[in-house]
Amino acid sequence: VSKIVPPEDIESLVTKPVEDEMSTLPNLESITSDSRKERAVINLNFKIGTDSSGAAQEVRRDQRPIERQARQVQRVGCD
């Protein structure tokens, strides 16, 4: 049985932790996000002139703890 994860749970379990983790990235100018049923879209905007390869590496490094959290959300959604 699949359980749909509502936007407010996505916000607290996924969006907010991602925003908090990513907020310390160097040269980050802004974060925008949209939490919806079963998904979150998070955009990171960096200052002009930021090395995109370096920024991508930083994002990948910082997303590891978030991926563990996402697996927990998937398990909750399947209960």
Side-chain angles (χ1 to χ4, degrees):
V1 174
S2 179
K3 176 182 168 190
I4 294 176
V5 181
E8 53 274 5
D9 288 348
I10 294 295
E11 175 77 26
S12 64
L13 296 170
V14 179
T15 307
K16 184 68 172 129
V18 169
E19 289 177 338
D20 291 346
E21 191 70 34
M22 297 294 160
S23 69
T24 61
L25 289 169
N27 298 315
L28 182 66
E29 193 166 76
S30 65
I31 300 175
T32 57
S33 62
D34 184 23
S35 300
R36 296 180 182 217
K37 180 177 57 174
E38 298 184 338
R39 73 182 58 167
V41 176
I42 300 159
N43 296 298
L44 306 172
N45 297 301
F46 292 87
K47 294 177 183 172
I48 292 176
T50 299
D51 172 44
S52 59
S53 295
Q57 282 182 318
E58 293 284 337
V59 168
R60 282 190 293 274
R61 184 202 69 213
D62 286 0
Q63 79 181 11
R64 288 184 190 120
I66 298 163
E67 288 172 344
R68 287 189 287 275
Q69 178 73 23
R71 284 191 287 276
Q72 288 178 314
V73 172
Q74 287 175 337
R75 282 192 289 265
V76 167
C78 292
D79 288 346

